[in-house]
Amino acid sequence: MDLEVAALVCSSAANYSSSQTGAIVPSIHPSTTFSRDGSYNARTLNNGEHPLIYSRADNPTASHVEHVLSKLDDAEESCVFSSGMAAVSAIMNACFVPDCVVFFPRRSYFINRKHFREWCTRMRVRIVQYDTDESSLEYLKLAIEMVSCEEEKEHEKFMWIETPANSSWEVLDIETVTGWCRKNGVTSFVDATVLTPLLCQPLKLGADFVIHSCSKYLNGHSDVLAGAVSCKDRKSKNWKRIKEARVTGGAVLSAFDCFLLLRGMRTLHLRVPKASENGMHVAMSMVQFKFKGEKGEKVAPSVGEQNATNAAVTPTTTTSFPISPWFELVVLYPGLPGHENHAISKQQQAGKNKKMFGGMLSVVITPILPDPKATTEPEKAALNNNEQPASTRGTGNQEDVKTTTTTTTEGGANLPSTTEQYAIKMHEIAFEMAKTTATLTKIWRPATSLGGPESLIEHRASVEGGSYPWSQCPAGLLRLSCGLEPGHRLARDLKSALHAAHLKVCGARGLLKISHVSKVSKPIEANKLRV
């Protein structure tokens, strides 16, 4: 969306001015009910389109928020809900019926993924999961065509798109996929919470509906729970169902929260560019990051007590490393030229000037996994002692942990190989390093959510990985929501915390041999980190 157009819509609340008082700020209407006129007819909003009877159906404050959002989304109509998940639930209750088919991404916001799994199983709704990487798009197209050719053609079909995917930030080509949907009678929904209408307008790209968790960027102040759905065709049966689901389900947004949401939206055109600028700055800085010893001194891989007498693997000056041989930092941000989806990101979600990619990114503390075909004596010794030579790199995902060889017990049970045991151990250390990093930052706040003025850091595996075995979250992933602070300070704060966590966790486990052992073994206080 053009930033100048967005500024005109947002800053003036769609050119609002009270016809009675001339007030330029929309009023709050907390009344739950409205009296009728002398002919016992309901008073109306928007030229008679919305009768004012009861606030569960329509409210003047909510109506104005919806009017502004419709202009931003280029939609015919919008509805606000009491939360983003309330909006999602209303869609599911209104549109999904037994035996219908829903195409759902494997990588998406984990609460939404959990809700879909449980709800659709209970309601006998068929889920077809798909991968969002570009190499899998042809499989998605084939799946859409196959489902459309089935005998039960009367069953409704829906496509659920979340792009970029939270929190791997994979990007799906909205225009291409929604084009396939139209040809095959599939209704499409796009969750554009992370992008906001300023960076992407899915309805213009072919989507039927767009969904927002307004608690995030649209409100932008971390003080409102809200959600919204906007439609391309207000006369469609699904839109009528969704509106009715809000009324009967009661998932309405209070008048005061509507007022706060509108207040936040009036600075959206200022906040999103700044967050995007910070996102790019942090991402570019983290790409250059290397784990190392404190103050840059060389560190050497420890070979463990069992092999301390083995001359072939005893650390010497020739085996020291200027950077850590144990972990690397992988940056996930579609704005980076090296991101696999950078081209489509620039095409559909970088705003009109093609330079803004949003303020959300992730960094993954990734174990550098050993070569299972190790042949040199140091490599063999490292594997035997669960230690690590500098060799093969993993992706940071637990899926990288694969058994290359197994040992079978007398009872027939398979035991993990030495390589797998080592990989599991290193992912556990990555988990601890990431979790520790989130507690050592001075500017980044260790909290859930995104899109507020403050920058947030969250160790996602602590939230979803342990409780949900089907979670695909890498152990060392840190989700970052860039706020409005100076970008260079955010990058410096994160680097300091990563270094401190590396020394603290790896030093405590004996993985690093450095001269300042006492500094590693002692807890590092966040207020002593240089920012």
Side-chain angles (χ1 to χ4, degrees):
M1 185 177 188
D2 185 272
L3 278 180
E4 290 187 2
V5 175
L8 292 173
V9 174
C10 294
S11 61
S12 65
N15 201 31
Y16 175 83
S17 178
S18 171
S19 59
Q20 294 180 332
T21 66
I24 61 173
V25 177
S27 302
I28 304 175
H29 295 267
S31 180
T32 58
T33 188
F34 304 90
S35 63
R36 300 171 185 266
D37 62 19
S39 301
Y40 205 71
N41 293 319
R43 293 176 170 83
T44 60
L45 291 170
N46 300 335
N47 299 319
E49 295 180 1
H50 299 283
L52 284 176
I53 299 174
Y54 194 61
S55 277
R56 182 155 42 82
D58 288 291
N59 178 280
T61 313
S63 178
H64 197 76
V65 175
E66 292 165 349
H67 174 64
V68 174
L69 184 57
S70 294
K71 285 187 171 294
L72 293 174
D73 273 331
D74 196 33
E76 286 197 359
E77 195 170 17
S78 300
C79 275
V80 291
F81 291 80
S82 55
S83 70
M85 286 306 299
V88 170
S89 296
I91 292 171
M92 296 171 72
N93 288 319
C95 303
F96 300 171
V97 296
D99 298 323
C100 77
V101 179
V102 179
F103 295 90
F104 193 83
R106 293 184 189 276
R107 297 186 185 275
S108 58
Y109 175 47
F110 93 108
I111 287 292
N112 202 23
R113 194 164 69 245
K114 174 179 180 291
H115 184 40
F116 263 78
R117 277 174 169 265
E118 297 174 351
W119 193 93
C120 290
T121 299
R122 186 168 64 250
M123 297 302 293
R124 292 190 296 110
V125 171
R126 179 181 169 191
I127 293 184
V128 178
Q129 291 188 312
Y130 66 90
D131 292 308
T132 52
D133 58 286
E134 292 183 19
S135 62
S136 301
L137 278 185
E138 287 301 317
Y139 294 102
L140 176 58
K141 179 183 179 182
L142 181 62
I144 294 172
E145 293 172 347
M146 290 178 62
V147 169
S148 299
C149 291
E150 292 178 351
E151 294 182 2
E152 299 84 359
K153 292 185 178 181
E154 70 279 3
H155 292 162
E156 294 189 79
K157 300 172 287 293
F158 303 94
M159 171 66 65
W160 197 275
I161 298 171
E162 180 183 309
T163 185
N166 189 348
S167 48
S168 62
W169 315 120
E170 295 171 352
V171 179
L172 188 71
D173 188 336
I174 298 174
E175 190 169 16
T176 297
V177 174
T178 55
W180 298 337
C181 290
R182 285 194 303 276
K183 290 180 181 179
N184 292 277
V186 180
T187 301
S188 55
F189 295 88
V190 176
D191 186 337
T193 294
V194 171
L195 299 178
T196 79
L198 269 64
L199 301 186
C200 182
Q201 294 174 299
L203 298 182
K204 283 188 173 182
L205 297 175
D208 296 305
F209 300 93
V210 61
I211 306 154
H212 300 283
S213 173
C214 303
S215 315
K216 313 302 190 297
Y217 283 104
L218 288 178
N219 172 58
H221 290 77
S222 304
D223 55 8
V224 171
L225 278 179
V229 182
S230 298
C231 73
K232 178 188 295 184
D233 180 9
R234 58 180 303 192
K235 295 181 180 179
S236 69
K237 63 178 182 180
N238 283 321
W239 181 243
K240 294 177 180 178
R241 291 172 178 173
I242 292 169
K243 291 182 66 177
E244 184 65 23
R246 183 184 69 165
V247 175
T248 56
V252 296
L253 192 63
S254 74
F256 184 67
D257 283 339
C258 286
F259 172 80
L260 290 177
L261 174 56
L262 183 59
R263 179 213 58 183
M265 290 169 63
R266 295 181 71 170
T267 58
L268 181 67
H269 60 291
L270 301 175
R271 293 183 285 101
V272 170
K274 177 59 178 176
S276 297
E277 176 188 325
N278 283 348
M280 180 63 78
H281 186 92
V282 172
M284 294 292 288
S285 298
M286 292 301 107
V287 166
Q288 306 300 323
F289 179 86
K290 302 293 183 183
F291 288 104
K292 60 183 180 180
E294 189 176 9
K295 295 182 180 180
E297 70 267 26
K298 294 182 177 181
V299 296
S302 169
V303 296
E305 295 180 1
Q306 295 178 8
N307 236 14
T309 59
N310 190 329
V313 294
T314 301
T316 66
T317 55
T318 60
T319 60
S320 62
F321 292 80
I323 60 174
S324 171
W326 309 93
F327 299 95
E328 64 181 350
L329 196 70
V330 176
V331 182
L332 307 177
Y333 186 64
L336 294 174
H339 191 279
E340 62 178 353
N341 304 133
H342 178 71
I344 187 61
S345 300
K346 191 171 184 178
Q347 177 182 326
Q348 77 177 18
Q349 67 175 56
K352 188 174 181 180
N353 63 5
K354 305 302 179 186
K355 294 181 180 179
M356 297 190 298
F357 295 87
M360 295 302 302
L361 68 150
S362 294
V363 294
V364 188
I365 299 174
T366 306
I368 301 175
L369 300 177
D371 184 354
K373 299 179 181 179
T375 56
T376 65
E377 288 303 317
E379 285 181 320
K380 289 179 180 179
L383 284 175
N384 290 336
N385 287 279
N386 277 341
E387 300 297 347
Q388 168 68 358
S391 52
T392 306
R393 285 163 168 75
T395 64
N397 198 318
Q398 289 93 326
E399 293 176 355
D400 291 326
V401 182
K402 297 178 181 179
T403 303
T404 55
T405 58
T406 57
T407 303
T408 306
T409 64
E410 293 183 1
N414 288 333
L415 298 178
S417 67
T418 302
T419 305
E420 185 179 32
Q421 289 175 337
Y422 169 77
I424 291 173
K425 172 185 175 182
M426 296 307 289
H427 280 295
E428 290 174 351
I429 297 174
F431 180 99
E432 289 300 323
M433 285 176 61
K435 187 176 180 180
T436 302
T437 299
T439 66
L440 295 178
T441 54
K442 293 180 65 177
I443 300 176
W444 300 86
R445 307 289 186 89
T448 297
S449 198
L450 55 99
E454 62 285 311
S455 294
L456 303 180
I457 183 171
E458 183 174 42
H459 181 222
R460 290 301 301 171
S462 293
V463 178
E464 58 179 287
S467 302
Y468 305 97
W470 42 264
S471 171
Q472 297 174 327
C473 181
L477 185 144
L478 289 164
R479 188 181 73 179
L480 307 174
S481 172
C482 296
L484 307 181
E485 305 91 343
H488 68 281
R489 287 182 174 268
L490 291 174
R492 192 165 64 192
D493 183 34
L494 183 58
K495 288 179 180 179
S496 297
L498 284 166
H499 282 310
H502 175 234
L503 291 170
K504 181 177 181 179
V505 175
C506 292
R509 289 176 175 257
L511 295 180
L512 299 178
K513 287 184 177 295
I514 64 176
S515 58
H516 304 290
V517 177
S518 60
K519 292 187 178 181
V520 173
S521 59
K522 292 171 59 178
I524 300 175
E525 299 178 13
N527 59 11
K528 292 185 179 180
L529 296 177
R530 179 175 175 267
V531 176

Short mmCIF file of all heavy atoms in Angstrom, two decimals, residues 2 41 46 58 84 124 134 142 156 195 205 207 273 279 301 333 416 424 468 473 502 506 510 527:
data_model
loop_
_atom_site.label_atom_id
_atom_site.label_comp_id
_atom_site.label_asym_id
_atom_site.label_seq_id
_atom_site.Cartn_x
_atom_site.Cartn_y
_atom_site.Cartn_z
N ASP A 2 0.48 2.25 -0.74
CA ASP A 2 1.23 3.49 -0.77
C ASP A 2 1.19 4.15 0.60
O ASP A 2 0.13 4.33 1.20
CB ASP A 2 0.63 4.42 -1.82
CG ASP A 2 1.45 5.68 -1.98
OD1 ASP A 2 1.19 6.64 -1.22
OD2 ASP A 2 2.33 5.71 -2.85
N ASN A 41 -38.88 2.64 14.66
CA ASN A 41 -37.88 2.07 13.76
C ASN A 41 -36.50 2.24 14.38
O ASN A 41 -36.24 3.23 15.08
CB ASN A 41 -37.92 2.77 12.40
CG ASN A 41 -39.21 2.51 11.66
OD1 ASN A 41 -39.72 1.38 11.66
ND2 ASN A 41 -39.75 3.54 11.03
N ASN A 46 -24.23 4.25 8.72
CA ASN A 46 -23.76 4.08 7.34
C ASN A 46 -24.91 4.06 6.33
O ASN A 46 -25.10 3.10 5.58
CB ASN A 46 -22.92 2.80 7.21
CG ASN A 46 -21.72 2.80 8.11
OD1 ASN A 46 -21.21 3.86 8.48
ND2 ASN A 46 -21.25 1.62 8.50
N ASP A 58 -24.19 -4.37 16.42
CA ASP A 58 -23.57 -3.17 15.86
C ASP A 58 -23.37 -2.12 16.94
O ASP A 58 -24.21 -1.97 17.83
CB ASP A 58 -24.44 -2.59 14.73
CG ASP A 58 -24.41 -3.43 13.48
OD1 ASP A 58 -23.35 -3.48 12.82
OD2 ASP A 58 -25.43 -4.07 13.17
N GLY A 84 -7.90 -12.19 17.98
CA GLY A 84 -7.60 -12.84 16.71
C GLY A 84 -8.13 -14.26 16.67
O GLY A 84 -8.68 -14.71 15.65
N ARG A 124 -15.13 -33.69 12.39
CA ARG A 124 -15.02 -34.50 11.17
C ARG A 124 -14.78 -33.64 9.93
O ARG A 124 -15.32 -33.88 8.85
CB ARG A 124 -16.27 -35.38 10.98
CG ARG A 124 -16.43 -36.48 12.01
CD ARG A 124 -17.51 -37.45 11.66
NE ARG A 124 -18.84 -36.84 11.62
CZ ARG A 124 -19.53 -36.64 10.52
NH1 ARG A 124 -19.04 -37.00 9.35
NH2 ARG A 124 -20.74 -36.09 10.57
N GLU A 134 8.68 -23.06 -1.77
CA GLU A 134 8.38 -22.96 -3.19
C GLU A 134 8.49 -24.30 -3.92
O GLU A 134 7.76 -24.56 -4.88
CB GLU A 134 9.31 -21.93 -3.84
CG GLU A 134 9.04 -20.51 -3.38
CD GLU A 134 9.92 -19.49 -4.09
OE1 GLU A 134 10.46 -19.83 -5.16
OE2 GLU A 134 10.07 -18.38 -3.58
N LEU A 142 -1.49 -29.86 -7.17
CA LEU A 142 -2.01 -31.19 -7.48
C LEU A 142 -3.05 -31.63 -6.46
O LEU A 142 -4.08 -32.21 -6.82
CB LEU A 142 -0.85 -32.19 -7.53
CG LEU A 142 -1.21 -33.64 -7.88
CD1 LEU A 142 -1.82 -33.72 -9.27
CD2 LEU A 142 0.04 -34.53 -7.81
N GLU A 156 -17.78 -28.34 0.58
CA GLU A 156 -17.05 -27.08 0.45
C GLU A 156 -15.56 -27.27 0.74
O GLU A 156 -15.17 -28.13 1.52
CB GLU A 156 -17.65 -26.03 1.39
CG GLU A 156 -19.07 -25.62 1.02
CD GLU A 156 -19.55 -24.44 1.83
OE1 GLU A 156 -19.18 -23.30 1.52
OE2 GLU A 156 -20.30 -24.68 2.79
N LEU A 195 2.04 -8.81 8.39
CA LEU A 195 2.34 -7.87 7.32
C LEU A 195 1.62 -6.54 7.47
O LEU A 195 2.18 -5.50 7.16
CB LEU A 195 1.98 -8.50 5.97
CG LEU A 195 2.74 -9.77 5.61
CD1 LEU A 195 2.27 -10.31 4.27
CD2 LEU A 195 4.23 -9.50 5.57
N LEU A 205 -4.65 -9.49 -4.21
CA LEU A 205 -3.90 -10.59 -4.82
C LEU A 205 -4.77 -11.79 -5.11
O LEU A 205 -4.27 -12.82 -5.58
CB LEU A 205 -2.73 -10.99 -3.92
CG LEU A 205 -1.67 -9.92 -3.68
CD1 LEU A 205 -0.63 -10.41 -2.68
CD2 LEU A 205 -1.00 -9.53 -4.98
N ALA A 207 -7.27 -13.17 -2.75
CA ALA A 207 -7.87 -13.84 -1.58
C ALA A 207 -9.33 -13.42 -1.41
O ALA A 207 -9.72 -12.32 -1.80
CB ALA A 207 -7.08 -13.52 -0.32
N PRO A 273 6.92 1.24 9.09
CA PRO A 273 8.22 1.49 8.44
C PRO A 273 9.39 1.45 9.41
O PRO A 273 10.47 0.93 9.06
CB PRO A 273 8.04 2.90 7.84
CG PRO A 273 6.57 3.03 7.62
CD PRO A 273 5.94 2.32 8.77
N GLY A 279 13.98 -4.26 11.66
CA GLY A 279 14.07 -5.68 11.31
C GLY A 279 15.20 -5.96 10.35
O GLY A 279 15.97 -6.90 10.52
N PRO A 301 37.95 -26.48 21.43
CA PRO A 301 36.98 -27.51 21.83
C PRO A 301 37.55 -28.43 22.89
O PRO A 301 38.68 -28.90 22.77
CB PRO A 301 36.71 -28.26 20.52
CG PRO A 301 37.94 -28.05 19.71
CD PRO A 301 38.44 -26.68 20.08
N TYR A 333 14.78 -14.29 7.85
CA TYR A 333 14.15 -13.00 7.56
C TYR A 333 13.97 -12.87 6.05
O TYR A 333 14.97 -12.87 5.31
CB TYR A 333 15.02 -11.86 8.09
CG TYR A 333 14.38 -10.49 7.95
CD1 TYR A 333 13.20 -10.18 8.62
CD2 TYR A 333 14.96 -9.51 7.14
CE1 TYR A 333 12.62 -8.93 8.51
CE2 TYR A 333 14.38 -8.25 7.02
CZ TYR A 333 13.21 -7.96 7.71
OH TYR A 333 12.63 -6.72 7.58
N PRO A 416 19.68 -45.46 20.32
CA PRO A 416 20.22 -44.44 19.42
C PRO A 416 21.71 -44.62 19.22
O PRO A 416 22.44 -45.06 20.10
CB PRO A 416 19.91 -43.13 20.15
CG PRO A 416 19.75 -43.51 21.57
CD PRO A 416 19.16 -44.89 21.56
N ILE A 424 21.40 -35.11 19.78
CA ILE A 424 20.39 -34.79 20.79
C ILE A 424 20.99 -33.90 21.87
O ILE A 424 20.38 -32.91 22.30
CB ILE A 424 19.82 -36.09 21.41
CG1 ILE A 424 18.98 -36.84 20.37
CG2 ILE A 424 18.97 -35.77 22.64
CD1 ILE A 424 18.52 -38.21 20.84
N TYR A 468 4.04 -29.87 23.15
CA TYR A 468 3.37 -30.40 21.98
C TYR A 468 4.38 -31.17 21.13
O TYR A 468 5.19 -30.57 20.42
CB TYR A 468 2.75 -29.25 21.17
CG TYR A 468 1.82 -28.41 22.01
CD1 TYR A 468 2.26 -27.22 22.59
CD2 TYR A 468 0.52 -28.82 22.26
CE1 TYR A 468 1.41 -26.46 23.38
CE2 TYR A 468 -0.34 -28.07 23.04
CZ TYR A 468 0.12 -26.90 23.61
OH TYR A 468 -0.71 -26.15 24.40
N CYS A 473 9.15 -26.51 16.01
CA CYS A 473 9.99 -25.39 16.39
C CYS A 473 11.39 -25.88 16.73
O CYS A 473 11.56 -26.76 17.57
CB CYS A 473 9.38 -24.67 17.59
SG CYS A 473 10.33 -23.24 18.13
N HIS A 502 26.36 -18.02 25.40
CA HIS A 502 27.29 -19.02 24.87
C HIS A 502 28.36 -19.37 25.90
O HIS A 502 28.64 -20.55 26.18
CB HIS A 502 27.92 -18.47 23.59
CG HIS A 502 28.99 -19.34 23.01
ND1 HIS A 502 30.25 -18.87 22.74
CD2 HIS A 502 28.98 -20.64 22.66
CE1 HIS A 502 30.98 -19.86 22.24
NE2 HIS A 502 30.24 -20.94 22.17
N CYS A 506 27.89 -23.10 27.54
CA CYS A 506 28.94 -24.00 27.07
C CYS A 506 30.09 -24.10 28.06
O CYS A 506 30.69 -25.17 28.22
CB CYS A 506 29.45 -23.52 25.71
SG CYS A 506 28.25 -23.69 24.38
N GLY A 510 31.62 -27.51 30.11
CA GLY A 510 32.98 -27.89 29.79
C GLY A 510 33.29 -27.96 28.31
O GLY A 510 34.24 -28.63 27.90
N ASN A 527 22.70 -6.51 33.74
CA ASN A 527 23.03 -5.08 33.84
C ASN A 527 24.51 -4.79 33.63
O ASN A 527 24.93 -3.64 33.62
CB ASN A 527 22.56 -4.51 35.19
CG ASN A 527 23.21 -5.24 36.37
OD1 ASN A 527 24.14 -6.02 36.20
ND2 ASN A 527 22.69 -4.99 37.56
#
